[in-house]
Amino acid sequence: MVSHAMRVHQRCHDRSTVVSIPSPFTHCSLGTEGKMAPKTPMRCLRVEGTDIVDADGKQVILKGCATGGHTNMENFITGYPGHENEMRKAMLEVLGQEKYDFFFDKVCSVAPSSSTDHGLTPVKFLEYFFTPSDARFLASLGLNCIRIPINYHHFLDDHNPGIIKQEGFKLIDRIVDACAAEGLYTIIDMHTFPGGQNQGWHSDAGIHKALFWDFKVFQDSMTDLWVEIAKHYKNNTWVAGYNPMNEPADPDHTALQAWYKRVEKAIREVDPDHILFLDGNTYAMDFTGFKEVLPNCVYAIHDYASFGFPAGEPYVGSPEQKESLQKTYERKVQFMKEKDVPIWNGEFGPVYASPGDENYEKVNQQRYDLLGQQLKIYKKDEISWSIWLYKDIGFQGMVHASPDSAYIKLLKPFLEKKKRLGVDKWGRDDSAVKHIYEPVIAHFKEAILPENINKRYPQVWKIEGHIHRVLRETLMSEILCWEYASYFEGKTLEELDELAGSFKLENCVKREGLNEILRRDAKGRTA
């Protein structure tokens, strides 16, 4: 058997077989703005050994980003506290059904005075956050694949779980089609699950447990949903594949493999062609429980580096830090290299300091240097990757809402308070509240037997992480949702339209340092 390393070495001597540039297709017809539209691929991408290949058998290295915060909202991305479902309930209470629908989810029967569409106005936030202009911008960077994180609530109603909401397909079709028009593949990523597939905020369960693994009815409903998604996209060759579950965290390390086998079989019965991108356990970092390889599957890691976050050691590019990055990556991909299957890094990327933060330019340059070193590691192994993330309010995105936008100006006092309290786990700074939580942590450590203190899964969080998950990220954040929603009270349709419009690409700020790094890598340049 030819090893993963040998395959990469062989490709380095035969570059004619490698398609690492984005959108490797000829053009056949005029598309938007008079440019040639990309020719639809003849067949789905597929797995061949350690490679993803196209219809001609040429290697395709997928390089892109995720549209997190859009069809799956997250607290640090758009500024609310806690979990999406709690924020939406608070917003509905403040706005009322009609304004809520106008801002978030549905076609509204009352339009602002500027509307010219006979009183029917599409949902504003979801419409503005990702448009054909966004797809065009991403293609201009040389990227070739966009990961679409989805909240299952766009397809399923918890009160009527047997019915698939067709509005979900219309929403995702908009993104898939906009990307296809620019020659961009898409990967459909199910980011949330009933009961929560992990213990984190981004599973939108609102609790600190992953109950998906305890209830067969949850597993049944999501398997059925994936069958319907596969039916819908089975003939769409611009869809690179399906990411059935984002960041699973199965405490027993066995239920995940069982569900993967089940959902793979169910999907293949209606769609035998699309690739499945399968995350490792414990937030896509652990493959020790994986024993076999499923056909036409790519295995996915998430490779965040502690150097890229406020609580981590600053990245200075020392030999020790570079070795640490390499060792962490090698540990995560050991299964793939042993089994000779393709690797996809589905999430990675540092967070960035803001102009008001101390030494923010120096900090951000360190984060850019870190990102550059990670990309060197991935380039050496010729793996596919998708950086987290595309658009937000200024913490991690390739573009972000302007500080002068209506949304940021409205919420500035709340965002400052939320940052000071450190209620969001992602990249928080504890300096203002550390003295409050240290006695609580000390109390737990004193009261609990040493052999049990770090027994709760995931153990990598340690007792500190579990305490913060319950007290700050769950309880305090849930209560703060009402304060966040209160900022929208009394807003007119015109004002809501302007607030949602803050996320239009033309109103956003581009993080040029980050985008240039991605552009150079995507287009095969090193400087």
Side-chain angles (χ1 to χ4, degrees):
M1 178 179 293
V2 180
S3 69
H4 188 281
M6 288 180 66
R7 288 182 187 273
V8 173
H9 177 76
Q10 289 169 355
R11 288 198 297 265
C12 289
H13 287 78
D14 184 14
R15 303 308 297 177
S16 64
T17 65
V18 178
V19 180
S20 58
I21 60 171
S23 308
F25 308 107
T26 57
H27 293 73
C28 63
S29 60
L30 285 176
T32 59
E33 300 185 351
K35 72 185 182 78
M36 300 301 290
K39 184 179 179 181
T40 300
M42 294 299 294
R43 59 175 294 180
C44 294
L45 297 178
R46 69 184 190 279
V47 169
E48 188 175 282
T50 60
D51 295 336
I52 298 171
V53 301
D54 64 13
D56 296 323
K58 292 183 179 180
Q59 182 198 24
V60 176
I61 299 177
L62 300 173
K63 298 183 178 184
C65 64
T67 57
H70 183 211
T71 49
N72 182 62
M73 300 178 73
E74 293 191 36
N75 47 42
F76 75 95
I77 300 177
T78 52
Y80 66 87
H83 307 87
E84 179 178 353
N85 73 86
E86 295 162 350
M87 176 273 293
R88 283 175 170 267
K89 289 176 183 176
M91 290 286 281
L92 177 59
E93 183 178 323
V94 164
L95 293 175
Q97 191 69 59
E98 191 162 49
K99 288 183 178 179
Y100 173 90
D101 288 347
F102 173 81
F103 188 73
F104 279 115
D105 282 327
K106 300 175 183 177
V107 172
C108 180
S109 59
V110 178
S113 58
S114 58
S115 174
T116 58
D117 56 3
H118 307 288
L120 293 177
T121 301
V123 46
K124 290 305 175 184
F125 176 81
L126 293 174
E127 176 192 2
Y128 292 156
F129 197 97
F130 194 89
T131 71
S133 295
D134 293 282
R136 198 172 304 121
F137 168 68
L138 293 169
S140 76
L141 296 178
L143 303 179
N144 65 351
C145 186
I146 306 304
R147 181 179 181 229
I148 307 173
I150 301 170
N151 191 309
Y152 79 91
H153 284 113
H154 288 296
F155 288 94
L156 294 179
D157 184 336
D158 289 332
H159 296 289
N160 194 11
I163 304 298
I164 306 294
K165 296 191 287 188
Q166 295 305 304
E167 293 89 343
F169 288 114
K170 295 176 183 178
L171 174 61
I172 305 307
D173 284 349
R174 274 188 64 246
I175 309 169
V176 171
D177 292 347
C179 289
E182 299 299 328
L184 297 169
Y185 286 113
T186 45
I187 294 175
I188 298 172
D189 152 42
M190 194 59 65
H191 223 73
T192 74
F193 282 69
Q197 79 279 19
N198 62 45
Q199 301 79 13
W201 76 93
H202 42 82
S203 68
D204 196 33
I207 57 176
H208 66 293
K209 295 183 177 182
L211 296 184
F212 176 81
W213 307 109
D214 296 334
F215 292 89
K216 185 176 182 294
V217 64
F218 291 161
Q219 297 168 29
D220 291 347
S221 66
M222 292 306 288
T223 301
D224 292 343
L225 174 56
W226 266 115
V227 169
E228 294 305 312
I229 292 173
K231 286 180 181 177
H232 186 79
Y233 291 107
K234 63 178 295 186
N235 296 318
N236 192 323
T237 55
W238 281 113
V239 173
Y242 312 131
N243 188 189
M245 178 179 285
N246 174 70
E247 293 194 345
D250 163 26
D252 296 330
H253 300 274
T254 55
L256 173 60
Q257 282 71 52
W259 189 74
Y260 274 166
K261 287 182 182 178
R262 179 184 176 189
V263 76
E264 187 267 344
K265 180 180 179 182
I267 289 173
R268 299 297 187 218
E269 289 177 355
V270 298
D271 180 357
D273 297 324
H274 274 103
I275 293 172
L276 302 191
F277 293 81
L278 303 180
D279 283 20
N281 198 24
T282 314
Y283 299 82
M285 296 187 293
D286 179 16
F287 287 87
T288 55
F290 285 57
K291 305 303 180 186
E292 60 181 302
V293 170
L294 296 176
N296 203 33
C297 288
V298 173
Y299 287 81
I301 64 169
H302 289 181
D303 195 31
Y304 291 106
S306 62
F307 305 126
F309 292 83
E313 172 188 327
Y315 184 76
V316 296
S318 69
E320 294 78 14
Q321 288 178 328
K322 291 180 179 179
E323 182 181 10
S324 174
L325 291 173
Q326 186 71 47
K327 283 185 175 180
T328 300
Y329 165 77
E330 294 293 346
R331 175 185 61 78
K332 292 177 182 178
V333 302
Q334 181 180 351
F335 171 80
M336 290 78 112
K337 290 191 173 184
E338 288 178 351
K339 299 294 185 180
D340 281 321
V341 293
I343 301 166
W344 180 52
N345 182 8
E347 289 186 23
F348 69 106
V351 299
Y352 299 96
S354 300
D357 297 332
E358 184 178 358
N359 297 322
Y360 83 97
E361 291 180 330
K362 178 181 178 181
V363 169
N364 287 347
Q365 187 57 55
Q366 291 172 335
R367 306 279 166 82
Y368 293 148
D369 293 343
L370 167 64
L371 177 61
Q373 183 61 31
Q374 288 183 286
L375 289 171
K376 288 179 182 178
I377 293 173
Y378 309 149
K379 183 182 288 288
K380 181 180 177 182
D381 274 2
E382 294 183 349
I383 72 168
S384 294
W385 50 255
S386 180
I387 196 169
W388 191 266
L389 76 159
Y390 172 49
K391 186 182 288 186
D392 67 356
I393 58 172
F395 197 45
Q396 195 173 19
M398 297 161 60
V399 305
H400 58 83
S402 169
D404 296 324
S405 68
Y407 187 87
I408 300 299
K409 287 196 291 187
L410 173 69
L411 291 170
K412 184 178 180 181
F414 182 79
L415 295 175
E416 291 174 345
K417 176 180 180 178
K418 192 163 73 101
K419 181 177 182 179
R420 184 174 67 253
L421 294 175
V423 291
D424 296 345
K425 179 177 182 177
W426 203 237
R428 67 175 159 224
D429 182 349
D430 273 347
S431 57
V433 294
K434 190 175 183 180
H435 66 286
I436 297 173
Y437 291 98
E438 281 182 338
V440 177
I441 293 168
H443 169 65
F444 271 72
K445 289 183 175 180
E446 181 181 347
I448 298 173
L449 293 173
E451 60 266 32
N452 295 331
I453 194 68
N454 290 319
K455 194 172 183 177
R456 194 174 193 281
Y457 177 86
Q459 288 83 7
V460 294
W461 286 5
K462 299 184 178 180
I463 190 63
E464 292 88 342
H466 289 283
I467 290 171
H468 294 314
R469 175 70 188 126
V470 173
L471 294 183
R472 280 201 272 184
E473 300 159 30
T474 303
L475 179 59
M476 181 177 283
S477 291
E478 179 185 0
I479 296 170
L480 284 174
C481 276
W482 289 306
E483 182 175 342
Y484 168 84
S486 71
Y487 281 80
F488 296 82
E489 189 167 5
K491 296 300 180 187
T492 65
L493 293 176
E494 288 84 355
E495 289 171 325
L496 291 173
D497 182 81
E498 184 183 12
L499 289 168
S502 300
F503 290 96
K504 289 181 179 180
L505 179 60
E506 57 264 35
N507 296 332
C508 287
V509 177
K510 296 173 182 175
R511 194 180 295 278
E512 296 295 354
L514 169 59
N515 294 331
E516 181 57 28
I517 292 171
L518 299 178
R519 181 187 290 111
R520 289 201 304 263
D521 188 276
K523 295 188 175 182
R525 299 197 301 269
T526 58

